[in-house]
Amino acid sequence: MAYGLSSLRARKLAYDLAVANGLKIPASWEANKAAGKDWFRSFRKRNTLSLRKPEPCSLSRLTSFNRKNVGQFFENLKKVLKKYPELADPSRIYNLDETKTPTVQEPQNVVTETGTKQLNAATSGERGILVTTCAIICATGTFLPPVMIFPRKFFKSHMINGAPAGTLGLANPSGWMSKELFPEVLQHFITLSHSSKDHRTLLIYDNLEAHLSIEVIEKARR
């Protein structure tokens, strides 16, 4: 539930459970008030568990993902499919979402002498800039060329050199999606998915303010 146990907390929980159940435990467990690292390593191996770094998720996003909201989503989906049965075809269902694209690679671990105080790795820059990538994925597993939003006032075609063919490049000083840019994204989707009143498609995305302008709604209706 987005509050997973760290290795230390898991070892302390194991110690508490052992004490509560009157089990025989090593003296080191008593001294540290936690299970040993060797025990925890074996426990993970026996139960096919791994240590992973979780992605941060805001409290507002977590609390919005609840039974009521999820139920409402599926009610809306059921109404749409009942009204337009042809949309049950997975080739007509798409999901759209934005993500940040790093412009500076993350350094890998390297071997160095113990005690070294300063260690550097050569990268294209020390700080990256925010580039937003808008991905559109079809339920069949295929995808449309993405949209990339650069933190610039004006877009230049060289910015998408090396990007997938058909990528739409846009510019916004903040680098974020905006209600001024999203109609262009929607037109990009309409063109590539061949959407029309005779060939309807279902595009699913979140309720970001930029996604819900009157211009976007009217364009989708047309």
Side-chain angles (χ1 to χ4, degrees):
M1 300 297 289
Y3 291 95
L5 294 176
S6 66
S7 58
L8 179 59
R9 288 175 58 198
R11 287 163 48 210
K12 286 184 175 181
L13 176 61
Y15 167 78
D16 291 340
L17 286 171
V19 171
N21 286 281
L23 301 179
K24 185 179 179 181
I25 56 177
S28 59
W29 288 33
E30 284 285 3
N32 298 320
K33 304 298 182 187
K37 291 181 180 179
D38 290 341
W39 174 88
F40 185 58
R41 196 178 297 114
S42 299
F43 178 78
R44 283 168 47 200
K45 191 173 182 180
R46 288 195 306 273
N47 293 279
T48 323
L49 300 174
S50 60
L51 285 174
R52 295 177 55 190
K53 186 175 182 179
E55 293 184 20
C57 186
S58 66
L59 191 59
S60 61
R61 184 183 288 263
L62 284 171
T63 52
S64 296
F65 189 70
N66 55 50
R67 183 180 294 273
K68 180 179 180 297
N69 289 343
V70 173
Q72 184 65 56
F73 168 81
F74 282 106
E75 279 299 317
N76 290 337
L77 183 62
K78 187 162 67 174
K79 288 177 184 177
V80 170
L81 293 179
K82 188 174 182 180
K83 187 174 182 180
Y84 305 111
E86 68 271 21
L87 291 179
D89 178 356
S91 67
R92 296 192 182 200
I93 301 174
Y94 294 83
N95 183 262
L96 176 151
D97 199 10
E98 291 96 358
T99 185
K100 64 179 181 180
T101 301
T103 58
V104 174
Q105 62 270 36
E106 286 284 331
Q108 294 181 326
N109 293 342
V110 295
V111 179
T112 183
E113 188 177 354
T114 302
T116 301
K117 293 185 177 179
Q118 185 170 350
L119 183 66
N120 301 112
T123 64
S124 56
E126 293 178 358
R127 292 185 180 180
I129 58 174
L130 173 68
V131 176
T132 297
T133 300
C134 179
I136 307 171
I137 312 296
C138 182
T140 58
T142 58
F143 62 91
L144 300 182
V147 180
M148 301 191 76
I149 303 170
F150 295 86
R152 296 286 186 272
K153 193 168 183 179
F154 302 105
F155 170 73
K156 304 293 183 183
S157 59
H158 66 80
M159 294 178 183
I160 55 173
N161 286 349
T167 296
L168 173 64
L170 300 172
N172 183 23
S174 69
W176 293 104
M177 181 66 75
S178 68
K179 66 179 181 181
E180 290 77 24
L181 293 180
F182 194 68
E184 296 186 57
V185 176
L186 187 60
Q187 185 58 53
H188 176 73
F189 166 75
I190 291 169
T191 301
L192 295 177
S193 63
H194 307 290
S195 301
S196 67
K197 288 192 174 181
D198 296 324
H199 184 269
R200 289 183 172 87
T201 53
L202 177 61
L203 180 62
I204 299 172
Y205 54 71
D206 60 29
N207 61 347
L208 181 71
E209 184 180 359
H211 295 163
L212 302 174
S213 69
I214 293 175
E215 184 181 355
V216 164
I217 294 171
E218 289 299 326
K219 181 184 281 289
R221 284 174 173 167
R222 288 195 304 270

